[in-house]
């Protein structure tokens, strides 16, 4: 009986390894989900005299998108963000991360601006509070300000249609 | 504090990846504490490197964050918890000790004890087993060997 | 053309492997003499064809044939010729080709040296090796072909990863792979014995030299890897418990346990079940390591370009090989060992304890390495398990191993008297305790109990081994004749154990007494560390064959006398532009002085990292000493072919253990 133990242990291991093949070991899930969003106050990207804060995100369902001109994935997902903005479903706040102010403004001018407001996080402190470790990242908060969803990586149309839009509709119906 | 950081940043402007010499420590013990802290924190964008070894931009940010927290008087556990609140347990190279990681921390000991118990039983068991003499055993082996040729 | 030839040779090698894997095995059941005899020529054939294939790939690298995708991805016209050759195995596809080259080589060696084994048994051994070869060759041909061509040939290659452009790193994979693949020989012996239903001391004796050679290569490979990391990575570390490092350490631990278990099975006929299982486990861990490194399930600086599709192939291969062999073990494994009985206090018990510790260490290394994956797969969240956890566990287990290591060789087989044993070891024990206590005195830093433990253990292993040696050569007829009488196998063991003592000492001293300083220095400024003064003279631009570098000049003096002039560099390779730190090291038997450049701070000032590393060379010295011990043991005269043949001829008819 005992002699079948090694085989048994291996079988379990093989199953776990198999599951492991479908996982990404470098993806860091967010501990913020289910918690109230981090408080912050940053200068606006377009106007250094004015500020953006978490208050701008509370009170209604909102989306925070972390991006930078240096990030190739952000360029790839920009059209998807514009599409999302055009649905009018939700306000998208942009968090420009560790970027150059002029370059970022130029970028939005040229490619279109999906953001209702843009925050300028030059030293990355606010990004750390949000648990950001790479760009692009997208957060969805409900009307009470609780983080409900985080997507790490590039957004695409499929994700938008199948996950994000349904989720936004669901969150809006909760209020 | 923000001004100081800003000033430091400006001083380092144009430098790709500041090393630890950019930080000021009151004494060698504090420097040692800082190094030990960041050695046990993971660089999230690297292929398995600590904050101490990594050149990545995010690692730089996290080092600075850790330094600031240290300077504001928090202890090691608080600093680590600060980062865990934002990034989860993935950021710690030393896994936490809580019910979810009991398997990890106590598993080796349990396995060792189980193994020890098994060794104990094996030694005791083989002493009780009936034995043929060594000469007979060798003769049997010889016969079997010729048979298999 | 040559690349296509190489590709074709691989296909032929696969055909040979199929013949080698199927015919002799089938023939061993049907007792077909021709099929049984087909094993050896097939093995030689496979070896030749894989060698041709490997030569073809090497040729493509040497002549800069960038129409081959693998060459274009890993080489460059400016790459020095030595590294063009080592670039062959620097990435996934080529390293697999290296693996099958080793497999072919070991297969041919087994074919040659197995001529005095019973035909049926030898046929089965070769067949198992052939089956393993089929798996790897299929993997290469179906998913990882190094000879794939690019439709558009680039003018220049993407260059080899600068981190790999180091002599130590060049030889490290071949050594490791020799070890991994060598374990497949022990594996094949075990499977063949399980199939035949005969597991005895003869089988153990045949397996032993093969296993020991594989172990030697693994030891050298791991030691070189650690040495390279220290030299190249710029932060003075030599082991990080990175998943890929662990993937090489686990087979080594099992191979060590296997050598010791084979010794018992050969001498006393005991623990057959244990030994067979260890033989299966050793190669299984080699395969598991290959999976972990190439599938992308774990994050590591060492991992090859990862691809879950390839990972799936390897996983299936793992299931067939490991699952199949463990199933065979469960079905046909030996029952209660008919080996000699032994007392509680005996070498057998101590060796059993030794193996228990080694397997436990393997267990926790596997647990720690796979834990992030297991937790993620089970939905328990994302964690990291890093060096703090591994070090804690290792320090927990090491004392047990150390104590057994010292006491084991001095304990008699079968039954020993505890009081007598203590008497034999009393001086070693007392001296070790005394040294440990000395190390614990408040002269040292707060980590004093770890120092005491490390020094005490190291002293115990070393002194107990020497005590046993002295006792053994104590002969009234004279020292020289006593020395001559000892077998090489015994000397090998002594050296290997002393190597472990040296290793423990090196690790203890460098971990707890190493000093490091980060400073910003302007030209002319200096920093003092451990009595040495490091004076920074500035940095100049130099050009290497395929890089441009900022070369610093640091002169090291002690009490005014010049000790060394070190030239750390910050290199920027032309093609792969990431900056690379090349540390400068002043090597010494009792300490290393290590300097690496950080970043320019403006106005000619640079950040410099300076290390004082006491006894760090003893870490690798210990490793190489242990490997030397293994080599010595294998060259023991009882394994010499000519002697065995002589004895067989002399005593015709009866089987006599040589």
């Amino acid at each position: 009986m005992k002699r079948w133990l090694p085989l048994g242990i291996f079988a379990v291991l093989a199953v776990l390894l198999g599951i492991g093949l479908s996982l990404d070991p470098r993806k860091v899930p967010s501990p913020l989900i289910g918690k109230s969003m981090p408080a912050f106050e940053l200068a606006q990207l377009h106007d250094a005299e004015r500020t953006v804060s978490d208050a701008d995100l509370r009170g209604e369902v909102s989306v925070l998108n972390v991006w930078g001109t240096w990030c190739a994935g952000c360029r790839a997902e920009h059209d998807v963000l514009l599409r999302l903005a055009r649905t009018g479903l939700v306000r998208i706040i942009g968090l420009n991360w560790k970027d150059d102010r002029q370059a970022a403004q130029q970028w939005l001018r040229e490619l279109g601006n999906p953001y209702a407001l843009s925050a300028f996080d030059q030293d990355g402190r606010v990004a750390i509070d949000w648990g950001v470790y790479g760009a692009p990242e997208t957060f969805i908060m409900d009307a009470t300000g609780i983080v409900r969803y985080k997507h790490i990586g590039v957004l695409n149309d499929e994700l938008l249609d199948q996950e994000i839009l349904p989720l936004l509709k669901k969150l809006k119906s909760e209020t | 504090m923000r001004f100081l950081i800003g000033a430091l940043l400006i001083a380092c402007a144009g430098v790709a990846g500041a090393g630890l010499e950019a930080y000021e420590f009151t004494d060698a013990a504090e420097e040692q504490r800082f190094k030990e802290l960041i050695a046990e924190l993971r660089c999230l964008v690297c292929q398995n490197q600590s904050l101490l070894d990594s050149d990545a931009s995010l690692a730089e940010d996290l080092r600075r964050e850790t330094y600031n927290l240290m300077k504001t008087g928090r202890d090691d556990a608080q600093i680590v918890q600060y980062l865990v609140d934002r990034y989860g347990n993935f950021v710690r190279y030393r896994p936490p000790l809580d019910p979810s990681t009991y398997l990890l921390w106590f598993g080796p000991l349990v396995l060792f004890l189980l193994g020890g118990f098994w060794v104990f039983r094996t030694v005791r068991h083989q002493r009780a087993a009936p034995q043929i003499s060594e000469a007979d055993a060798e003769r049997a082996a010889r016969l079997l060997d010729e048979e298999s040729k | 053309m040559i690349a296509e030839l190489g590709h074709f040779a691989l296909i032929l090698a696969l055909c040979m492997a199929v013949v080698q894997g199927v015919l002799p095995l089938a023939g061993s059941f049907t007792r077909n003499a021709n099929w049984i005899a087909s094993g050896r020529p097939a093995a030689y054939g496979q070896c030749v064809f894989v060698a041709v294939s490997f030569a073809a790939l090497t040729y493509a690298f040497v002549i800069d044939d960038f129409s081959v995708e693998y060459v274009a991805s890993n080489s460059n016209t400016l790459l020095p010729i030595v590294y063009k050759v080592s670039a062959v195995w620097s990435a996934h596809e080529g390293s697999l080709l290296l693996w099958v080259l080793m497999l072919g080589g070991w297969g041919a060696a087994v074919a040659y040296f197995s001529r005095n084994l019973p035909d049926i048994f030898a046929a089965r051994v070769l067949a198992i090796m052939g089956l393993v070869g089929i798996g790897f060759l299929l993997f290469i041909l179906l998913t990882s072909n190094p000879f794939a061509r690019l439709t558009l040939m680039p003018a220049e290659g993407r260059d080899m990863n600068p981190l790999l452009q180091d002599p130590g790193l060049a030889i490290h994979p071949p050594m490791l792979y020799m070890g991994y693949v060598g374990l497949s020989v022990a594996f094949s012996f075990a499977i063949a014995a399980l199939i035949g239903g005969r597991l005895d001391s003869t089988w153990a004796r045949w397996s032993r030299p093969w296993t020991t050679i594989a172990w030697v290569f693994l030891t050298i490979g791991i030691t070189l890897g650690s040495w390279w990391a220290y030299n190249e990575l710029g932060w003075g570390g030599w082991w990080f418990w990175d998943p890929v490092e662990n993937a090489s350490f686990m087979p080594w631990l099992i191979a060590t346990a296997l050598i010791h278990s084979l010794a018992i099975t050969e001498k006393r006929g005991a623990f057959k079940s244990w030994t067979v299982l260890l033989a299966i486990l050793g190669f299984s861990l080699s395969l598991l390591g290959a999976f972990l490194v190439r599938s992308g399930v774990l994050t590591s600086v060492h991992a090859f370009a990862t691809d879950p599709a390839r990972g799936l192939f390897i996983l299936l291969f793992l299931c067939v090989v490991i699952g199949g062999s463990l199933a065979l073990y469960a079905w046909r494994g030996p029952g209660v060992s008919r080996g000699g009985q032994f007392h509680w206090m005996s070498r057998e018990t101590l060796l059993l304890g030794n193996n228990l510790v080694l397997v436990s260490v393997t267990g926790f290394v596997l647990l720690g390495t796979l834990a992030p994956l297991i937790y993620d797969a089970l939905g328990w969240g994302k964690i990291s398990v890093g060096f703090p956890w591994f070090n804690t566990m290792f320090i927990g287990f090491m004392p047990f191993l150390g104590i057994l290591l010292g006491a084991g060789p001095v304990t008699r087989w079968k039954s020993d008297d505890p009081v007598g044993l203590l008497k034999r070891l009393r001086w070693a024990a007392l001296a070790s305790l005394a040294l440990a206590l000395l190390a614990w005195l408040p002269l040292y830093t707060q980590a004093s109990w770890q120092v005491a433990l490390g020094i005490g253990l190291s002293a115990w292993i070393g002194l107990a081994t020497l005590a046993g040696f002295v006792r053994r050569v104590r002969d009234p007829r004279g020292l020289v004749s006593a020395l001559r009488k000892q077998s090489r196998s015994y000397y090998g063991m002594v050296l290997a154990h002393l190597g472990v003592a040296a290793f423990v000492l090196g690790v203890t001293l460098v971990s707890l007494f190493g000093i490091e300083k980060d400073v910003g220095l302007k030209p002319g400024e200096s920093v003092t560390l451990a009595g040495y003064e490091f004076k920074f003279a500035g940095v100049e631009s130099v050009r290497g064959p395929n890089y441009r570098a900022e070369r610093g000049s640091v002169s090291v003096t002690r009490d005014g006398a010049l000790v060394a002039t070190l030239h750390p560099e910050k290199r920027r390779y032309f093609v792969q532009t990431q900056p690379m730190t090349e540390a400068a090291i002043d090597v010494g038997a009792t300490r290393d002085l290590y300097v690496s450049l950080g970043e320019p701070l403006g106005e000619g000032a640079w950040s410099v990292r300076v290390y004082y590393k006491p006894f760090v060379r003893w870490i690798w010295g210990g490793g190489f000493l242990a490997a030397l011990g293994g080599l010595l043991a294998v060259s023991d005269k009882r394994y010499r072919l000519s002697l065995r043949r002589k004895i067989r001829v002399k005593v015709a008819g009866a089987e006599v253990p040589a």
Side-chain angles (χ1 to χ4, degrees), chain B residues 14 104 113 141:
Chain B
L104 190 60
L113 289 174

Side-chain angles (χ1 to χ4, degrees), chain A residues 2 25-32 35 97-98 123-125 127-134, chain B residues 2 9 44-47 57-58 61-62 64-65 68 82-88 90 118 121:
Chain A
K2 197 169 23 135
R26 302 193 54 191
K27 207 157 236 176
V28 187
S30 176
L32 294 180
K35 299 212 183 82
W97 185 37
K98 303 199 69 170
D123 60 10
R125 277 234 58 243
I128 290 180
D129 277 339
W130 281 79
V132 171
Y133 66 93
Chain B
R2 274 184 188 272
L9 272 174
L44 296 147
V45 295
C46 311
Q47 302 268 68
S57 163
L58 180 69
D61 293 347
L62 291 172
R64 200 188 52 226
E65 197 73 13
N68 294 337
Y82 182 92
L83 286 172
V84 171
D85 285 339
R86 284 149 181 77
Y87 291 102
F90 188 68
W118 181 85
R121 267 193 46 197

Side-chain angles (χ1 to χ4, degrees), chain C residues 449-595:
Chain C
W449 72 264
Q450 284 150 309
V451 179
L453 183 67
I455 291 184
L457 265 179
S458 164
W460 164 250
I461 298 173
L463 291 172
T465 307
L466 287 173
F469 178 72
V470 162
R471 183 163 274 277
R472 205 147 147 155
V473 300
R474 191 175 290 170
D475 191 324
R477 274 169 295 156
L479 181 63
V480 176
S481 77
L483 283 173
R484 280 233 206 97
K485 229 176 46 167
Q486 304 309 322
S487 65
R488 285 209 196 162
S489 185
Y490 178 72
Y491 283 123
M493 180 207 77
V494 170
L495 272 184
H497 288 185
L498 286 176
V500 176
F503 171 79
V504 174
L505 188 67
V507 170
T508 309
L509 293 176
V510 82
S511 303
L512 299 164
F513 295 113
I515 315 173
E516 141 188 354
K517 261 201 193 152
D518 280 276
V519 279
L521 291 174
K522 289 212 262 291
E525 285 182 345
S526 62
V527 60
T528 320
L529 194 70
Y532 292 91
E533 189 185 328
F534 295 80
K535 190 168 182 160
F536 180 56
V539 155
E540 57 166 0
S541 288
V542 295
R543 195 204 141 116
N546 53 342
Y547 61 87
R548 171 155 269 123
E550 301 296 310
R551 192 162 192 256
S553 205
V554 176
S555 52
V556 186
T557 56
R558 192 194 175 92
D559 300 324
L562 183 71
V563 172
T565 313
L566 298 172
H567 298 286
E569 290 178 15
K570 195 91 180 175
R571 290 185 188 172
R572 200 169 279 269
Y573 284 77
F574 295 139
V575 183
Q576 298 204 13
T577 54
Q578 87 239 42
M580 250 219 25
T581 322
E582 194 74 24
I585 310 175
D586 180 45
V587 175
T590 55
R591 95 287 177 277
D592 266 18
L593 300 170
Y594 189 108
V595 182

Side-chain angles (χ1 to χ4, degrees), chain B residues 42 48 90 93 100 126-127, chain C residues 242 301 339 341-342 375 384 386:
Chain B
R42 185 173 194 149
N48 202 23
F90 188 68
Y93 268 132
S100 70
Q126 59 89 35
R127 290 192 54 66
Chain C
D242 177 87
V301 283
Q341 269 190 322
F342 56 91
Y375 272 70
S384 292

Side-chain angles (χ1 to χ4, degrees), chain C residues 163-247:
Chain C
L163 276 175
L164 305 176
Q165 294 182 31
D166 172 88
L169 220 290
I171 197 72
H172 154 75
M175 292 288 112
L176 264 185
Y177 287 18
M178 281 291 278
Y180 289 146
V181 178
L183 286 180
S184 75
V185 178
F187 174 79
S188 305
F189 271 79
I191 300 295
L194 276 176
I195 294 175
R198 269 200 62 202
L199 277 163
D200 54 11
S201 16
T202 327
W203 160 75
R205 186 163 30 88
W206 292 329
S207 298
R208 245 177 124 179
W210 297 101
T211 312
T212 311
I213 299 177
W215 177 89
V216 167
F217 277 113
L218 268 182
T219 310
I220 295 176
I222 296 175
T223 309
L224 279 174
S226 165
W227 188 2
W228 163 79
Y230 173 82
N231 279 335
E232 277 298 301
L233 295 181
W235 46 276
W238 50 272
W239 189 260
F240 192 57
W241 294 106
D242 177 87
V244 173
E245 291 175 356
N246 297 345

